[in-house]
Amino acid sequence: MNIHQVPCLRILLPFISGIILGWLFLSDTLALFFAITGLTVWLIALFKERDRLYNNRHIKGIAITLLFIAAGIGVYNNTLPLSFEKEHTNKHSTLEIKALQIRENLIDIYRRYVSDENIPILSAITLGKKDEISKETKSNFSLSGGSHVLAVSGLHVGIIYMILLWLAGLIPYRRWLFVTAHISVILCLWLYAFICGLPASVVRSSLMFSLVSGAFITERQNLSLNSVFVSAFIMLLYKPLYLFDIGFQLSYSAVISILLFYPKISALFAFKNKILVWAWGMIAVSVAAQIGTLPLTLFYFHKMPVYSLLTNFLVIPAAFFIIYSGASLLALNWWNDVAEYIGRIINFLTTILQDGVRTIVELPYSVIDGIYIMPCTVAALYSIIISTWFFIETKKCRFLQTALCLIISIQVADLI
């Protein structure tokens, strides 16, 4: 992979740099400086075009970089007062109030058929409402490495998207029906994201799956690493403060790491047995995601769950069936006998999930605690990960040497 295969990265990186500069200095003058400098460099590039022997491509690249840094600073400076006012007034828009009411109405349907002790887990996994979960349950999921299943994220949105695609596939194929079905899928995804409260992970996932449906409609290539950067750019353009959200950082780290490392890890072994193929796929996805999220996990939470792979074998299938069961319960709640049967299934699944997570936490040495690292160490760890990937991809020793030098530097700094 080279930089030309991910052109949005060349836009995203200076835009992120601008947001960080806006966070550090909060100065419109700085944005104006970068904008004027970028325009000046662009004019120089246009002037140099008269000389056919002079390659001005890099000058235009510098100009675009400066302009997007200015855009990042400007967007951050203009959205910060609105975010501050909303945070401190605690005002909800009419749409937000309506969305919360819809979510409460859906939870009321759950309460008619699901036991009270399982409602918090069901509400968190399906609708993103986590405030009713007990501290003990949150702690168990966190220590076992399964807390991601309690926060509606790409896993949950992906399952919802599969349900919607299956329903859309039941419609006889006509071009206009096909387009209408996928537009309806996109609208349903965003309605679900809005009911969940528009957390960064759900917005990111809804945006990415909307791009998937857009690719289906236009009959173009499916999602790629560049599409991930496009979604990140759109999210930060809408709300720059997402950059400092832990969920945003973890979700994008996981997705990018999966796209980079999953093909390499999954290719290590090939199985013919379907169960082994599924099991190895689960391991490969989990390992790939943890490679990208481990530095941030250590930095923010100061601990590392030892049995997180084992936990994923429990929580991911459980979340899959709980979401399907929850959707079925909401769709068939008018049929009392069927709804009661589905409610018993949900009670069984959520009980198994909580007991299983509790058992994993009680295993010896289930978590390594007390890990404290500096931001510079986080940057060094990601540099090691990127260098290692480039070494695997290109087989060039300089990338391996870079990774080894960084590892030694971290050890020396730790000793000092």
Side-chain angles (χ1 to χ4, degrees):
M1 183 191 72
N2 57 60
I3 193 66
H4 300 291
Q5 293 176 299
V6 283
C8 194
L9 182 61
R10 291 184 287 178
I11 297 174
L12 181 63
L13 289 180
F15 189 70
I16 289 175
S17 301
I19 293 173
I20 295 173
L21 287 173
W23 172 67
L24 290 173
F25 300 105
L26 195 62
S27 171
D28 289 326
T29 305
L30 188 63
L32 185 62
F33 168 77
F34 276 101
I36 293 174
T37 306
L39 290 172
T40 303
V41 173
W42 184 269
L43 291 175
I44 293 173
L46 292 177
F47 179 77
K48 288 291 185 179
E49 280 185 350
R50 298 178 181 178
D51 186 358
R52 295 185 178 180
L53 298 178
Y54 189 84
N55 186 353
N56 65 348
R57 183 178 63 184
H58 299 298
I59 296 181
K60 285 186 175 180
I62 293 172
I64 292 172
T65 298
L66 293 172
L67 289 173
F68 273 97
I69 290 175
I73 299 172
V75 169
Y76 179 85
N77 289 348
N78 288 325
T79 57
L80 183 62
L82 296 175
S83 301
F84 182 84
E85 180 182 357
K86 183 176 180 180
E87 179 182 351
H88 287 270
T89 56
N90 293 319
K91 290 182 179 179
H92 293 286
S93 67
T94 304
L95 284 176
E96 288 174 329
I97 294 173
K98 186 64 177 178
L100 293 174
Q101 289 174 347
I102 293 173
R103 185 169 71 174
E104 288 303 319
N105 291 336
L106 296 176
I107 293 175
D108 286 339
I109 295 175
Y110 285 157
R111 289 194 174 99
R112 296 208 303 262
Y113 302 102
V114 179
S115 62
D116 291 340
E117 61 268 20
N118 292 325
I119 284 292
I121 295 293
L122 177 61
S123 300
I125 292 177
T126 59
L127 298 174
K129 184 179 181 180
K130 300 186 293 182
D131 51 356
E132 294 182 0
I133 301 177
S134 66
K135 291 183 179 180
E136 180 185 0
T137 301
K138 288 182 179 179
S139 177
N140 287 337
F141 275 85
S142 176
L143 294 175
S144 66
S147 57
H148 60 279
V149 81
L150 296 180
V152 176
S153 61
L155 169 67
H156 308 70
V157 178
I159 295 173
I160 296 294
Y161 184 68
M162 290 171 59
I163 297 173
L164 295 173
L165 278 188
W166 176 75
L167 293 174
L170 299 177
I171 302 174
Y173 182 80
R174 296 288 187 276
R175 178 61 186 171
W176 68 274
L177 284 175
F178 179 81
V179 173
T180 303
H182 276 279
I183 292 175
S184 300
V185 167
I186 293 172
L187 293 175
C188 289
L189 277 182
W190 285 103
L191 176 61
Y192 175 70
F194 193 72
I195 292 174
C196 291
L198 292 176
S201 57
V202 178
V203 173
R204 184 263 306 166
S205 305
S206 299
L207 182 57
M208 289 180 62
F209 286 118
S210 297
L211 292 174
V212 171
S213 284
F216 286 149
I217 293 172
T218 58
E219 298 179 350
R220 296 192 176 187
Q221 188 177 3
N222 213 327
L223 274 179
S224 63
L225 192 61
N226 194 56
S227 301
V228 177
F229 296 137
V230 170
S231 68
F233 178 77
I234 294 173
M235 285 185 65
L236 293 175
L237 189 62
Y238 164 70
K239 186 176 181 181
L241 290 177
Y242 273 143
L243 182 63
F244 307 102
D245 181 82
I246 297 176
F248 178 90
Q249 296 172 15
L250 289 173
S251 62
Y252 271 97
S253 298
V255 171
I256 293 171
S257 185
I258 288 171
L259 289 174
L260 292 177
F261 287 100
Y262 173 74
K264 309 295 181 184
I265 298 172
S266 63
L268 293 176
F269 298 100
F271 300 98
K272 295 182 179 179
N273 185 284
K274 291 184 178 180
I275 296 177
L276 292 177
V277 169
W278 171 81
W280 177 241
M282 287 276 293
I283 294 173
V285 169
S286 299
V287 171
Q290 287 181 17
I291 289 173
T293 58
L294 183 61
L296 289 175
T297 301
L298 297 179
F299 177 70
Y300 285 117
F301 305 111
H302 315 297
K303 56 191 174 185
M304 184 178 70
V306 175
Y307 303 117
S308 55
L309 285 178
L310 177 61
T311 303
N312 283 330
F313 273 99
L314 170 67
V315 299
I316 293 178
F320 182 87
F321 288 112
I322 288 172
I323 291 173
Y324 269 94
S325 301
S328 300
L329 179 58
L330 295 176
L332 300 172
N333 71 90
W334 54 271
W335 193 348
N336 192 59
D337 292 338
V338 175
E340 287 182 356
Y341 180 74
I342 296 173
R344 288 197 292 268
I345 293 175
I346 293 174
N347 282 325
F348 173 76
L349 291 173
T350 51
T351 300
I352 290 294
L353 175 60
Q354 295 183 77
D355 291 343
V357 168
R358 191 181 302 111
T359 301
I360 292 173
V361 171
E362 291 173 354
L363 292 174
Y365 309 107
S366 61
V367 63
I368 300 174
D369 207 347
I371 302 174
Y372 294 89
I373 59 175
M374 300 293 290
C376 58
T377 307
V378 175
L381 289 174
Y382 276 116
S383 299
I384 292 170
I385 292 170
I386 294 170
S387 298
T388 303
W389 182 85
F390 273 109
F391 170 70
I392 296 171
E393 187 75 8
T394 64
K395 303 298 188 294
K396 293 181 179 179
C397 289
R398 67 172 180 267
F399 295 113
L400 180 61
Q401 292 169 351
T402 301
L404 293 175
C405 289
L406 287 169
I407 293 172
I408 294 172
S409 300
I410 291 174
Q411 294 297 320
V412 172
D414 186 57
L415 289 174
I416 293 175

